[in-house]
């Protein structure tokens, strides 16, 4: 079993060190936990020095040089990126613009429509929404505040084309962004991040977010991350890796992580790619963890150049990748080689794996199926069962019910992805235990 849940917290390597390429400091070191990593941002949003709040007032994709009475999401982002104290367009800056600012986005559908002049330009005035500085973007809730990247295009040699990275949001360099209460959809990218791209050692925290219905040609149809990625109460679904003819295979239909991923109370479902339909991890950085996560109904389409080890649910490369997994379901996925997982995992116990033939690192507290006898997790379809994001409810008789950590042990998160308290006595035997997975 190895490490305990407490080993997942604490640490000592900054995102800036990652951005500088100081990999020697990251090997074997658990990165700082999310609260510590975002402490400065939280302080600023509580009224600390150098923090401002900007309220978006229009769904139009505007960037006006002259003051007016409407503040668009792009103008708010531009104001923060360039530290424009008086605000851009109709944006009113409440407080002092600094490094840790807040953008409040009300209910509505926001579609970036301004065309960028080129795929590699650092141009937050057009195309996708590029984030340069520390910022929090707060919506009214998934399905209510919708950021739709279907209009985020660049002008290529043959006309309009998808952006290269981040079909909706692109985090640039080593900033820290917190996004909560939104749906990210409709994005398309060539190289990475159909919905969201985290680049250059940047840090992204998603809370109460749905990333759904995005596309990419290569890596991370939902999310591409070459930085620190923290997911809390998030659903990543219906994203598609669509490899170009004659091009490399797509990897990570839901999420592609090249650095660190820390996911808690997360559902990854109904995504597709050539490899790693749900999650593809390509990193040797210590500290990545899946805690109370459900990964199901994803599919790998296959890679003609692969060695027979593609996986529909979770695929790890290289095999030595450090990925800790606890109280998590990986089952009901599909792939031509292995349906659920391939590679070595570091189990902290109480996981349910549908077909575990091609993955290892489990212990006696794990529930493992095999190719000859897959373990059915007993999940309802992805839908709204309470809370802000969609989940897979556990059906009566599901082996995941009351099969997680006991109430008197290291436990599970105090609430599930919906915000419902746990542990509870789900099977009526008088003992309170956590259910396995995000629900």
């Amino acid at each position: 079993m190895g490490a305990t849940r407490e080993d997942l917290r604490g640490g000592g390597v900054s995102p800036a060190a990652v951005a500088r390429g100081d990999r020697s400091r990251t090997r074997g070191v658990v990165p700082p936990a999310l609260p510590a990593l975002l402490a400065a941002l939280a302080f600023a949003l509580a009224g600390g020095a150098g923090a401002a709040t900007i309220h978006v007032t229009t769904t139009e994709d505007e960037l006006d040089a002259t003051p007016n009475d409407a503040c668009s999401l792009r103008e708010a982002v531009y104001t923060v990126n360039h530290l424009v104290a008086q605000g851009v367009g109709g944006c009113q800056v409440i407080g002092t613009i600094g490094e840790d600012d807040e953008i409040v986005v009300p209910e509505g559908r926001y579609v970036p429509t301004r065309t960028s002049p080129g795929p590699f330009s650092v141009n937050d005035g057009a195309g996708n929404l590029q984030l340069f500085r520390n910022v929090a973007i707060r919506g009214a809730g998934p399905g209510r505040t919708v950021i739709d990247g279907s209009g985020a295009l660049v002008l290529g040699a043959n006309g309009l084309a998808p952006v290269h990275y981040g079909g909706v949001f692109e985090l640039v360099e080593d900033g820290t962004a917190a996004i909560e209460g939104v749906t990210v959809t409709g994005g398309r990218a060539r190289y990475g991040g159909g919905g969201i791209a985290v680049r250059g050692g940047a840090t992204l925290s998603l809370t109460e977010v749905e990333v759904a219905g995005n596309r990419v040609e290569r890596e991370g149809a939902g999310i591409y991350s070459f930085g620190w990625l923290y997911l809390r109460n998030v659903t990543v679904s219906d994203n598609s890796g669509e490899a170009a003819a004659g091009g490399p295979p797509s990897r990570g239909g839901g999420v592609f992580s090249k650095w660190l991923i820390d996911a808690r109370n997360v559902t990854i479902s109904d995504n597709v790619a050539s490899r790693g339909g749900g999650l593809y991890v390509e990193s040797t950085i210590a500290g990545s963890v899946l805690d109370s996560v459900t990964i199901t109904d994803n599919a790998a389409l296959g890679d003609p150049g692969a060695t027979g080890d593609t996986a529909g649910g979770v695929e790890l490369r290289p095999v030595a990748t450090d990925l800790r997994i606890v109280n998590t379901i990986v089952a009901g996925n599909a792939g031509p080689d292995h349906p659920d997982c391939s590679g070595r995992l570091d189990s902290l116990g109480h996981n349910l794996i549908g077909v575990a033939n091609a993955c290892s690192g489990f212990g006696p507290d794990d529930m493992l199926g095999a190719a000859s006898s897959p373990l059915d997790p007993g999940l309802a379809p992805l839908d709204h069962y309470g809370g802000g994001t969609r989940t897979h409810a556990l059906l009566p008789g599901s082996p995941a019910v009351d099969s997680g950590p006991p109430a008197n042990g290291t436990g599970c998160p105090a609430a599930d992805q919906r915000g419902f308290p746990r542990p509870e006595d789900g099977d009526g035997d008088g003992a309170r235990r956590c259910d396995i997975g995000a629900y």
Side-chain angles (χ1 to χ4, degrees):
M1 293 277 292
T4 66
R5 185 182 298 268
E6 285 69 28
D7 292 330
L8 305 180
R9 291 147 176 98
V13 59
S14 70
V18 178
R20 292 194 301 268
D22 188 3
R23 300 191 180 201
S24 62
R25 293 184 58 199
T26 64
R27 292 194 180 99
V29 178
V30 178
L34 180 59
L37 191 60
L38 301 181
L41 182 59
F43 170 75
L45 298 185
T53 299
I54 302 170
H55 290 268
V56 173
T57 61
T58 179
T59 59
E60 298 297 320
D61 189 23
E62 301 175 348
L63 185 60
D64 293 330
T66 56
N68 55 65
D69 60 357
C71 176
S72 71
L73 177 56
R74 187 180 299 278
E75 287 171 331
V77 168
Y78 196 95
T79 296
V80 169
N81 282 346
H82 299 276
L83 302 177
V84 182
Q86 72 277 19
V88 174
C91 294
Q92 301 296 314
V93 177
I94 303 171
T96 303
I97 200 80
E99 285 293 324
D100 301 290
D101 303 300
E102 177 184 28
I103 298 172
V104 179
V105 190
E107 184 171 353
R109 195 173 196 91
Y110 300 80
V111 184
T113 56
R114 296 172 59 85
T115 301
S116 179
F120 291 113
S121 60
V122 179
N123 178 16
D124 54 345
N128 59 4
L129 297 168
Q130 296 179 338
L131 307 177
F132 302 163
R133 297 184 181 275
N134 295 357
V135 65
I137 297 176
R138 306 197 188 284
R144 298 178 62 195
T145 298
V146 178
I147 318 297
D148 181 345
S150 59
L153 301 172
V154 299
L155 184 60
N158 299 314
L160 294 178
V163 300
H164 278 191
Y165 286 92
V168 182
F169 286 107
E170 179 184 5
L171 276 68
V172 181
E173 298 177 356
D174 61 345
T176 295
I179 301 175
E180 66 177 60
V182 304
T183 293
V184 177
T185 189
R188 186 181 176 191
R190 289 195 62 193
Y191 297 146
I196 302 173
V198 182
R199 305 183 64 197
T203 300
L204 174 64
S205 164
L206 298 181
T207 304
E208 286 285 327
V209 168
E210 289 217 7
V211 181
N214 303 283
R215 295 180 291 163
V216 78
E217 290 183 11
R218 294 192 183 178
E219 296 171 338
I223 304 170
Y224 166 94
S225 180
F226 196 169
W228 311 100
L229 178 62
Y230 294 87
L231 306 178
R232 300 292 185 267
N233 302 337
V234 169
T235 293
V236 182
S237 67
D238 303 295
N239 301 287
S240 178
E242 302 171 353
S250 59
R251 301 187 295 174
V255 180
F256 176 94
S257 175
K258 200 174 180 67
W259 208 253
L260 176 138
I261 178 172
D262 183 324
R264 184 183 306 159
N265 285 338
V266 170
T267 297
I268 301 176
S269 177
D270 294 295
N271 304 285
V272 63
S274 304
R275 308 186 63 142
L279 170 64
Y280 190 101
V281 179
E282 184 180 81
S283 171
T284 56
I285 301 301
S288 287
V289 61
L290 306 181
D291 182 351
S292 302
V293 173
T294 297
I295 301 177
T296 189
D297 285 341
N298 304 284
L301 301 178
D303 176 5
T307 56
D309 51 7
T310 61
V314 178
E315 186 172 340
L316 286 80
R317 289 292 174 274
V319 175
T321 295
D322 176 272
L323 178 62
R324 297 175 180 183
I325 179 172
V326 57
N327 202 51
T328 287
I329 296 172
V330 184
N333 303 284
D337 298 324
H338 308 292
D340 291 318
C341 54
S342 68
R344 178 173 175 78
L345 299 165
D346 182 6
S347 173
L348 304 184
H350 303 286
N351 300 293
L352 188 159
I353 311 298
V355 176
N357 293 57
C359 41
S360 59
F362 298 107
D365 292 330
D366 296 310
M367 305 172 66
L368 308 177
S372 58
S373 54
L375 186 57
D376 183 352
L379 301 176
L382 185 68
D383 210 335
H384 290 283
Y385 300 100
T389 54
R390 293 173 298 160
T391 55
H392 286 278
L394 299 180
L395 296 172
S398 165
V401 173
D402 276 18
S403 294
N408 61 351
T410 55
C412 53
D416 68 7
Q417 183 175 335
R418 305 166 300 160
F420 287 30
R422 61 180 179 183
E424 298 289 346
D425 179 12
D427 59 8
D429 67 353
R432 296 171 63 245
R433 295 181 67 100
C434 302
D435 297 335
I436 300 177
Y439 180 94

